Amino acid sequence: MANRTADNENESSGESIKGISEKADSPETVNNDILTDIHCEDKKRFRTHCLSNDGLVSTSLRAQAWPILTGCEGNERSLDSVPIQFMAPHRDESQVKKDVDRSYIHYPENMAEETELELKAQLKRLIVRMLREVPDLNYYQGYHDVAAVVTIIFGKDEQTAFNFLYYMTLRYLRDHMLQDIDPTLKQLDLIPEILWYADRKFYNAIKPTLKEPIFALSSIISLFAHDLNRFDEVCLLWDAIIAEKDPSMPLYLYVSMMVRYRAQILQQIREGDGSAEFIHVILSRLINSNINSLSRQAAQSEISAVIKSALKLKRKICPIRKLRRFRSISKYSCLKDRKVSTSTLGLQVKEEAINIAKARKRKQTVARYQRVAKNIQSIPLLLKISIGVGLLTVILALAMDPQSKKTAKTFGNSLLNGWIR
Amino acid sequence: MSSRRKTILKVIILGDSGVGKTSLMQQFINGKFSQQYKATIGADFLPKELNIDDKQVTMQIWDTAGQERFQSLGVAFYRGSDCCVLVFDVTNTKSFENLQSWRDEFLIQANIKDPDNFPFVVIGNKIDVEENKRMVSSKKAQALCASLGNIPYFETSAKEAVNVEQAFDVVARCALQQEESLEYSDDYTDAVNIHVDGDNSSCGC
C-alpha cells in the first residue's frame, strides 16, 4: 500500500512550496500533459497538476488520475466480493435512504430527471455496499455528500467508485465513522490552534466561539462537498486533498478560508449581537457567504489561493506535529496512523468502545456524588458534623492507599461542595 | 438575560431526521417550500421580526441536525432557549415515538432549571400526504401531548403552508412568556426564593 510516501515528499519543502506551479499553459496543453502522465502513471507529476490553478481540469481526467494517485485499485479487500443483497443489512441503512433522497441538490447542474434517479440508485448501492462490507463503520450525514461526488466522477464504473470511496473512507474519514462523534470533535479542536499560528489577532477576536469549533463540522466531514454549491470547486479542493495524501489537509484548508475571509467575517460580527452563537452561525456560513456567491471564475481562483496558503500553513508555519492538541489524539486516528486497513479501524473501534464505557462510568459517578452532596444540604447541623468526622476518617484511610488517592480526592471535593452550600 | 435590550426569543426545532424541520422553518420565515433541502449538519438559525400584541420581538429559530450522532452537540446550541418545538412526521411512527427522548435530552442538555414549566410545542408535519399513508393519528398525538403536561399540538404541512403560521404564533407567545418570566425571576435570583403566583404557569395555550 502506498501510504507512507507522501509525507516525506511533502514535508521536505525548500524555499518555495514544492509541487505548486503557476502554469499559464493553454487548456489543451494541460490536458495532453495530464493524459501523458496518466499513461506513464507518473504520480509525482500528477501532484504538480493537482496543486496547480486548474487542478486536474475535468471529470474524465480525474476519473483516470485519482485511482492512480491513491492507488485504490490495490486496496486490501478482494475485488470479487459477495453481491450486496447477500450481505447482512447495516443498522444505518434507513438513514442512508433518507439522505440519498435529498442528494445532488446543487450539482451536477441541469441534470435530467432520469439521470438524477440513476445517480441516486448508484449512490445508495455504493454507500450500502460500503457499510455492509465494513460493518464497523457508522454512517454519518455528510458521508452521502462525499459518496455523491464519487458517483459523479466515476459514473457507471461502480467498481472503481467503490474502490476509490473505500480508500477515501479508511484514509480520510474513518475518525468520523466511529460509534460516537468525539473523535471528529477532537479533529475539529485542532482548528483553533492552527488558526492561532495562522492569524493570532483574528484568533483573539473570535476566541469565545473557538471553544467549540462545530461551525467547521459539515465542511470537514464532507470534505467540503456539503457546503460548496459547484462541483468544479469541490473537485479542485479534492485534487489538493488527494495529492497531499494527508487527512489533516481539510483542516488546513478550512483555516485558510477563515483567514482569507477574515475582514468579511469581522464585518458581519460587528453587525450582529456579538454572541458566540451568532459568530458560530457566521462561521458556519463561511463558504456559502464568501465562495458560493462568487462567479465561477472568481471562485476557482479563490480556491487556488486557499490551497496555496493551506499548504504553506501545513508544511511550514504549523505542521500538525507541532500542535499541542495533536498529542491528545488517538494513535489509531487517521491523522496518525495512515494505513488504509480495516484492522486499524478495528483497533480504533475497540479503543473508542473503551472510552465510551469510561465516560459513561465517569458520568454515573459524578451524578452519584452530586446526589450525595445534595442530600447533605438537607441534614441538620449536628448530624452533619458527626457524619463529617466519620467520612473524614474514611477519606484519610483511602488517601493512605496510593491507588485510591484519586477516588478519595474526587469524593472529598464533591462532599465539601455539598457541605459549603 | 435582563441585559438584553431588544427582546430576542430563541426557539429550537428538534426531531428525527427527515421530518421536515428545515422545511417548516423555511416556510415560516420565507414563505416557500422546496423538495430540495440539503440534510442539516450541525445547526443554523434564521431570524424573524415579529409583532406580538404590539411588542416587537426577534425570533431566532434554530434548525438542528436530526441524526442521533449529532445530538450531543446540542449543548452548544440549546442554552438560553425560550421554547422548544418537537417535530414528527405523521407518516413515520418511529419519529413520533422518539418525541419524548428528544424532549428529555433537550431538558438535560439545555440545563433547564424548571423542566415542568418549560414551554414545548409539538408539530405533526406532512399532513398533505394521502390518508392511507398516515401512521400517527391526531388522537394518539394529542394523548401524548396531554400526558407530557398539556403541550400545545399542531398538525401542519410545510409543503402546502397549512397551519405553519398558526403553530409558530403559539411558539412565539410561549417563548415570549418564558423569556419574560425568566427576566422577572432573574432580578430576584440573589434574593430569597420568591414564588410569584401565576408566573411559572406553562403558556396557557
Side-chain angles (χ1 to χ4, degrees):
Chain A
M1 257 162 284
N3 301 323
R4 312 179 60 87
T5 51
D7 309 322
N8 303 335
E9 285 167 28
N10 294 338
E11 276 156 20
S12 61
S13 51
E15 280 302 300
S16 65
I17 295 294
K18 200 177 163 191
I20 298 182
S21 70
E22 302 282 349
K23 280 186 315 218
D25 296 342
S26 70
E28 293 78 27
T29 327
V30 178
N31 275 5
N32 289 338
D33 266 8
I34 299 173
L35 277 172
T36 318
D37 298 338
I38 288 171
H39 188 68
C40 309
E41 300 205 357
D42 186 340
K43 288 191 189 177
K44 214 169 172 183
R45 278 179 51 89
F46 265 147
R47 291 211 173 89
T48 317
H49 288 300
C50 283
L51 300 173
S52 71
N53 288 345
D54 297 316
L56 288 173
V57 185
S58 72
T59 302
S60 68
L61 289 173
R62 287 186 173 105
Q64 297 173 72
W66 283 358
I68 299 173
L69 262 171
T70 54
C72 68
E73 302 284 14
N75 282 337
E76 55 168 7
R77 47 171 302 284
S78 79
L79 289 176
D80 39 20
S81 53
V82 184
I84 56 169
Q85 62 268 34
F86 299 120
M87 289 188 261
H90 187 278
R91 56 197 171 277
D92 294 331
E93 284 178 25
S94 61
Q95 182 68 54
V96 174
K97 192 186 170 298
K98 282 180 193 163
D99 293 336
V100 166
D101 286 342
R102 43 186 170 170
S103 292
Y104 307 107
I105 290 180
H106 296 292
Y107 51 80
E109 288 161 62
N110 307 319
M111 182 171 37
E113 208 185 319
E114 242 169 75
T115 323
E116 189 179 334
L117 288 176
E118 178 50 33
L119 268 179
K120 283 184 177 171
Q122 276 179 25
L123 178 61
K124 193 171 164 219
R125 279 197 294 274
L126 179 62
I127 300 176
V128 166
R129 182 171 164 198
M130 188 65 60
L131 296 175
R132 289 187 183 186
E133 284 213 12
V134 192
D136 268 347
L137 296 172
N138 294 280
Y139 171 80
Y140 63 87
Q141 292 190 299
Y143 186 73
H144 71 297
D145 293 306
V146 173
V149 171
V150 176
T151 58
I152 300 170
I153 290 285
F154 295 101
K156 289 198 164 57
D157 185 358
E158 294 190 30
Q159 184 59 52
T160 311
F162 181 82
N163 291 342
F164 181 75
L165 184 63
Y166 183 92
Y167 171 90
M168 294 303 282
T169 302
L170 292 180
R171 175 93 187 199
Y172 288 87
L173 305 169
R174 65 180 146 87
D175 287 12
H176 314 312
M177 304 187 82
L178 299 170
Q179 201 186 326
D180 82 355
I181 201 169
D182 273 4
T184 302
L185 298 181
K186 282 228 160 98
Q187 276 205 18
L188 295 183
D189 270 342
L190 298 172
I191 287 178
E193 212 179 334
I194 302 174
L195 182 67
W196 186 82
Y197 280 104
D199 189 335
R200 214 154 299 176
K201 251 187 172 170
F202 186 33
Y203 170 92
N204 286 326
I206 56 168
K207 208 171 169 185
T209 314
L210 294 171
K211 268 187 209 146
E212 288 163 322
I214 306 167
F215 48 83
L217 179 71
S218 61
S219 290
I220 298 301
I221 64 179
S222 74
L223 302 176
F224 303 94
H226 185 78
D227 297 314
L228 282 164
N229 285 356
R230 272 177 303 230
F231 187 61
D232 291 347
E233 289 140 38
V234 178
C235 288
L236 277 177
L237 286 175
W238 280 38
D239 282 340
I241 291 170
I242 292 165
E244 279 297 284
K245 284 200 153 193
D246 183 349
S248 74
M249 185 63 175
L251 302 169
Y252 287 95
L253 286 167
Y254 192 86
V255 174
S256 298
M257 287 180 190
M258 289 176 78
V259 174
R260 188 159 185 84
Y261 303 113
R262 176 187 52 194
Q264 290 87 327
I265 294 168
L266 291 175
Q267 176 62 31
Q268 283 173 298
I269 291 174
R270 276 193 291 273
E271 287 163 10
D273 64 8
S275 66
E277 288 164 338
F278 185 76
I279 303 175
H280 160 90
V281 171
I282 291 169
L283 289 169
S284 67
R285 293 179 191 158
L286 172 70
I287 289 180
N288 202 36
S289 320
N290 296 293
I291 299 179
N292 288 340
S293 51
L294 297 174
S295 72
R296 191 176 294 270
Q297 212 180 356
Q300 290 196 9
S301 80
E302 285 296 291
I303 297 277
S304 299
V306 164
I307 293 172
K308 284 190 186 80
S309 60
L311 290 174
K312 229 176 252 169
L313 269 177
K314 186 171 107 60
R315 296 179 188 174
K316 286 187 167 175
I317 299 169
C318 55
I320 194 122
R321 286 178 206 293
K322 204 170 155 183
L323 304 178
R324 198 174 42 84
R325 287 192 181 156
F326 184 65
R327 279 180 243 148
S328 65
I329 284 183
S330 156
K331 64 178 176 186
Y332 302 120
S333 156
C334 62
L335 294 178
K336 286 190 175 171
D337 188 329
R338 306 270 173 89
K339 277 197 275 312
V340 177
S341 125
T342 44
S343 48
T344 312
L345 175 70
L347 292 170
Q348 204 176 359
V349 167
K350 270 188 202 140
E351 185 195 52
E352 186 59 11
I354 294 170
N355 289 342
I356 291 171
K358 272 187 196 160
R360 194 173 300 143
K361 213 169 168 191
R362 245 193 327 266
K363 220 172 155 185
Q364 283 168 350
T365 316
V366 169
R368 208 173 313 136
Y369 287 161
Q370 279 171 347
R371 266 201 305 276
V372 173
K374 213 174 171 185
N375 289 339
I376 288 171
Q377 284 178 52
S378 55
I379 301 175
L381 187 66
L382 201 64
L383 201 60
K384 255 185 189 177
I385 293 168
S386 45
I387 297 174
V389 171
L391 279 171
L392 205 65
T393 323
V394 176
I395 292 165
L396 280 175
L398 279 171
M400 300 293 201
D401 174 12
Q403 275 192 333
S404 328
K405 231 174 197 167
K406 215 173 162 190
T407 327
K409 207 176 161 194
T410 330
F411 188 53
N413 283 343
S414 167
L415 280 175
L416 205 61
N417 286 339
W419 213 269
I420 291 163
R421 258 182 252 149
Chain B
M1 306 272 163
S2 45
S3 63
R4 286 186 195 168
R5 289 268 166 267
K6 198 167 150 196
T7 306
I8 294 174
L9 303 177
K10 184 172 173 183
V11 171
I12 307 276
I13 310 184
L14 300 179
D16 276 12
S17 176
V19 295
K21 299 180 291 294
T22 306
S23 299
L24 278 165
M25 181 176 81
Q26 288 290 346
Q27 181 58 264
F28 175 61
I29 294 200
N30 298 320
K32 59 183 184 191
F33 174 82
S34 158
Q35 296 279 7
Q36 306 267 303
Y37 289 120
K38 291 192 281 194
T40 308
I41 301 175
D44 193 10
F45 82 66
L46 285 178
K48 182 156 173 143
E49 302 289 333
L50 288 176
N51 199 331
I52 308 169
D53 304 332
D54 290 332
K55 191 165 182 173
Q56 252 334 97
V57 298
T58 306
M59 193 152 139
Q60 251 182 27
I61 306 187
W62 284 77
D63 181 22
T64 58
Q67 196 188 1
E68 209 186 324
R69 78 183 281 115
F70 298 123
Q71 235 183 69
S72 63
L73 304 180
V75 177
F77 309 112
Y78 298 174
R79 277 178 226 129
S81 307
D82 297 305
C83 180
C84 175
V85 183
L86 302 168
V87 186
F88 72 96
D89 168 359
V90 296
T91 69
N92 179 342
T93 317
K94 188 93 197 292
S95 72
F96 175 71
E97 289 166 354
N98 285 341
L99 282 184
Q100 199 159 343
S101 79
W102 279 109
R103 174 181 170 271
D104 296 345
E105 194 62 29
F106 170 82
L107 288 172
I108 295 167
Q109 293 205 28
N111 196 16
I112 300 292
K113 290 195 185 111
D114 186 8
D116 294 336
N117 293 311
F118 186 85
F120 288 91
V121 170
V122 170
I123 292 182
N125 191 35
K126 303 195 187 177
I127 53 160
D128 50 273
V129 294
E130 299 139 44
E131 197 50 43
N132 61 353
K133 281 193 183 158
R134 184 164 175 151
M135 307 301 285
V136 184
S137 68
S138 306
K139 221 173 135 188
K140 215 169 152 188
Q142 275 159 356
L144 178 82
C145 291
S147 75
L148 291 176
N150 286 326
I151 299 178
Y153 172 61
F154 288 89
E155 298 202 332
T156 62
S157 161
K159 188 177 178 184
E160 290 168 4
V162 176
N163 236 359
V164 177
E165 199 74 39
Q166 290 85 333
F168 277 96
D169 182 62
V170 169
V171 170
R173 284 168 193 282
C174 289
L176 182 62
Q177 196 172 342
Q178 171 73 4
E179 168 74 17
E180 282 172 347
S181 80
L182 276 182
E183 244 174 61
Y184 192 74
S185 62
D186 267 4
D187 295 340
Y188 291 93
T189 11
D190 296 329
V192 199
N193 221 349
I194 295 176
H195 181 81
V196 184
D197 279 340
D199 184 47
N200 59 350
S201 62
S202 64
C203 57
C205 3

